[in-house]
Amino acid sequence: MIKYDDHRGSQRLEAWDDVTGEGVEFRLLGPVGAWHAGRRLGPSTPQQRTILAMLLLEPGRPVPVARLETALWATEPPESSRNAVQGHISRLRRLLAPFPEAALTTSARGYCLAIGRDRIDLHRFRELVRGAGGEPDPERAAGLLRAALALWQGPPLTDVAGRWLADVVVPGLEEERLAALERRAALDLRQGRHHEVAAELAPLVGENPLRERLVSLLMTALSRGDHRTEALAVFRGVRRRFAEELGIEPGEELQRLHQAILAGRDETAANGTTAPASLAVPRHLPPDTEPFTAREDELAALDQLTAPRPEQAPPPCVVTGTGGVGKTTLAVHWAHRARDRFPDGQLYVNLQGYGPTHAARSPAEAVRLFLDALQVPPELIPATLEAQAGLYRSLLAGRRMLILLDNALDSDQVRPLLPNAPGCLALITSRAELTGLVAAEGARTLSLGLFSPAESRELLARRLGVAKVGAEPQAVDDIVSRCAGLPLALSIVAARAHARPAFPLRALITGLDEPDGPDEPGNLDVFDGGDTGTNMRTVFSWSYRALSPEAARLFRLRGLLPGPEISTSAAASLAGIDVRQARRLLTELTRANLAAEPAPGRYGWHDLLRAYAEELTLLHDCESERREALHRLLDHYLHSAHLGDGLLEMLHRVPLNLAEPRPGVVVARITDRAQSLAWFGREHRTLLAAIRHAARAGFDAHAWQLACACWGFLSQEARSDDQAAMYRIALEAAVRLDDPAAQAHVRVGLAQALIRLGEDDTSGSHLRQALTLFRTLGDPVGQGICLTYLSVLEDRQGRYAEGLALSEEALRLHRSAGDRAGEGRVLNNIGWFHARLGAYGEALRRCEEALLIQRELDDRAGESATLDSMGYIHHLLGQYEEAIAYYLRSLSWRGGNRALGARTLQRLGEAQVAAGRVTEGRQTLGRALDLVAELAPGDADALRARIHGLG
């Protein structure tokens, strides 16, 4: 265990009093509780302290009841858990009643403690650590870190109930403390406090012998304090532990420090750092461009803008410029050239701020990528973006790393990714100027301009060879002129020349000086969009004009849909041609660098190429032809999705009466369930773009029907965010059509997605509106489906009697409509609610009725759900082997449905544990965790803690 008897402990209360002043204060970094005037007020029980800790970890944010139950009882809350939580909350309210600054409120989303973060020791600690990162004075920075560490009164969350906080939250908090301590030790070493640092770190290294940064700091302190022999002994011991426990050698930086001490050199002083890299040294830069051309002035400017400053975090550096000007190429080349300045690694992420789907990468996703690159175990990654960003910055403290943030959308996307350590630099590329980053964070900017004529010629000579360029000087002058100094344009021309080595360069530009006909504007002025990148159209036009008429038409029509990729059959439908011809034309486009084939049979376009294609089709293809082509493409996606959906076994399918596909439509070849899942997996992002574009273009029937045709895949794969996005668009389309049936079905699909996303109130509203519409339409099956989903909401709230009543009403409706499949599935739900109410005999009787119907209909999806319920009932009866048998039978179908399979696997694992088959149960729960971590990461921590608790 880490020891907390810091010899500066006398500063603790003083630092804390300075922070809180008058009023109530809260502590998590040690015993949990509320303090006032130096006296602990409570809470009095470990369970109440657990609830308080959960609220204080996220002050001002609602904490769901389910999460509080997990913290107290992990995966096995008692039946009275909700009442118990309410009782603890009531007692906490009485405790805090005298303090208006601490308001404990209740909402549909859970319980929220509204309190200033500066009154909570953990958040004050984090604020002090952040402040130290931006403090240029090393002595003041060290003082801030001492004040932060003085807030720790012992092991965090030391007296709470349950294992969940200790297993899931505490390791991350301990990591933050160690990181801060390492930063403070590094600063102390710079101030010559070698003996103090050595005395403090020796026991810590004994407890954490594989933590290379701690080891490096201790070795440095011992070496500088004239204890060279002891420093070498530390390395030998650590090296032995690495070999015995991991089977590897210590990292390169630690070995280099060892060699320096052997040679009597102060390696860390020479390098300007006292914090060698830890085990994770990411090298994530994309490959450098060879040959790199020109930009010497810009490279020198980057050197100057990013020059290291003693003990001061360098400001972010932003490379701006139009699309195609070479921002990424320059940034990556400079990063490779300067990588020795950043020995602890280089992180890279494409933020996708500008792309064909306009789907920028979220800061949360980028932070997770960086934490993974830094080898942070998933169980130690906090839940919120703010906490993740804090951990990320803590891990960078004391390191020298480069963070390359490519293709940023705006300042808000970048801010959570900025480091605050003196040795770390953020290099950003963006088409936007990011003026907010300049104003608030003091970012430096480098505006990347066009190539000069001399630089353009140099690029062509490097790509094509000096001899070829020298043989046709006039043609080269024309190419340079037409490319307008855009490096990407010049590269495309060079690629075309490489593809046709026998052609003279003159042949690549012949015929561009005069228009070819009345539809072709002279000098291509029509492609000037008014900014520095619009001359890219000129270069694209050279490749475009070399195409056959058929390929040129396909290229133009591709601009009608802003999707990320297109398949061969989709391209055939778009152009109204057969697949064989489409494949030939796509190959022609690929060879002309007007398309890419990232996977066999799938073709993508750069966003500028797509924009260029869109402008061409608006210019050259009449409105009726464009609309007919888009109609064919949407028909392809709709009928292909409908075909694939029919091959998926589902609990509910929307009855769709599709119009016949237009002539020339090629429906994808999907013959079985595996092919259906594979097709949806490849196309789901394109399908979302198609639904969005269909709604914008007035194809409202396609929009809502296509969303419903994707329901089965999205539901089975638990892609709830995509499902919600699709169905929101579909609902707007159905409303515009004034189609009550469409609106009702779409609201049900949207509600299902929202249930999985935890938006119960909004989901319930949609279900009640759908129920009203189905009643007006006289559709009892639709009404029954709405009532079934409403019963799910009642189940989630613990209102089992209300859920049972809704299910009984749904059963009556399905029976009145003669819907045997619906009757069987509702009978299963009725059995489930009887089990929740403790009527196990009646529960089994109802489920057996359901099984008879489902086997009669060969309804495997419904049967698997009922078998799962029967396993649950037998588990509650203590008949664990019977429960295991039912779960295994359920998984014979559910094993292919990841969302439902994860749920049944988890129940199977618990039954195996209860039956005494603990090893087998742990393995089953591990399989469930693999699925839950991917499909519902927020639920993975509790399951992981449960598995850990089994030993």
Side-chain angles (χ1 to χ4, degrees), residues 366-394:
V367 168
R368 282 300 299 263
L369 290 173
F370 285 169
L371 291 176
D372 289 343
L374 294 168
Q375 298 182 2
V376 178
E379 64 271 17
L380 298 185
I381 296 178
T384 65
L385 172 60
E386 182 180 9
Q388 290 173 6
L391 176 57
Y392 155 70
R393 291 185 176 117
S394 295

Side-chain angles (χ1 to χ4, degrees), residues 457-589:
R457 292 188 187 90
E458 180 185 353
L459 185 149
L460 292 173
R462 290 197 175 193
R463 299 290 178 88
L464 302 178
V466 174
K468 189 173 183 68
V469 170
E472 299 183 66
Q474 186 57 52
V476 170
D477 286 345
D478 289 342
I479 291 173
V480 168
S481 175
R482 301 300 178 193
C483 283
L486 281 168
L488 181 57
L490 291 159
S491 299
I492 292 172
V493 174
R496 290 189 64 243
H498 269 299
R500 297 166 177 81
F503 282 26
L505 294 179
R506 168 58 56 186
L508 300 177
I509 58 172
T510 299
L512 286 182
D513 292 341
E514 287 84 26
D516 291 338
D519 295 328
E520 181 70 15
N523 299 321
L524 302 174
D525 289 342
V526 68
F527 300 118
D528 185 358
D531 59 47
T532 58
T534 53
N535 282 323
M536 179 66 80
R537 301 183 182 102
T538 306
V539 174
F540 288 155
S541 72
W542 298 344
S543 295
Y544 169 75
R545 289 185 181 210
L547 298 172
S548 66
E550 295 84 0
R553 175 174 176 268
L554 177 58
F555 175 76
R556 294 196 307 271
L557 294 177
R558 174 62 182 87
L560 293 174
L561 181 68
E565 292 179 349
I566 194 169
S567 66
T568 306
S569 58
S573 300
L574 177 67
I577 56 180
D578 61 50
V579 171
R580 184 176 180 180
Q581 185 181 7
R583 187 177 294 113
R584 178 178 62 81
L585 298 179
L586 288 165
T587 300
E588 182 180 350
L589 292 175

Side-chain angles (χ1 to χ4, degrees), residues 704-727:
W704 82 264
Q705 290 178 338
L706 185 51
C708 289
C710 296
W711 187 342
F713 169 78
L714 296 170
S715 177
Q716 290 188 21
E717 294 295 302
R719 298 179 185 268
S720 303
D721 287 320
D722 285 347
Q723 183 176 341
M726 286 185 179
Y727 273 80

Side-chain angles (χ1 to χ4, degrees), residues 783 807-817 826:
Q783 296 174 57
S807 299
E808 295 282 3
E809 175 62 13
L811 178 63
R812 184 190 66 77
L813 289 164
H814 284 290
R815 283 175 169 170
S816 71
V826 173

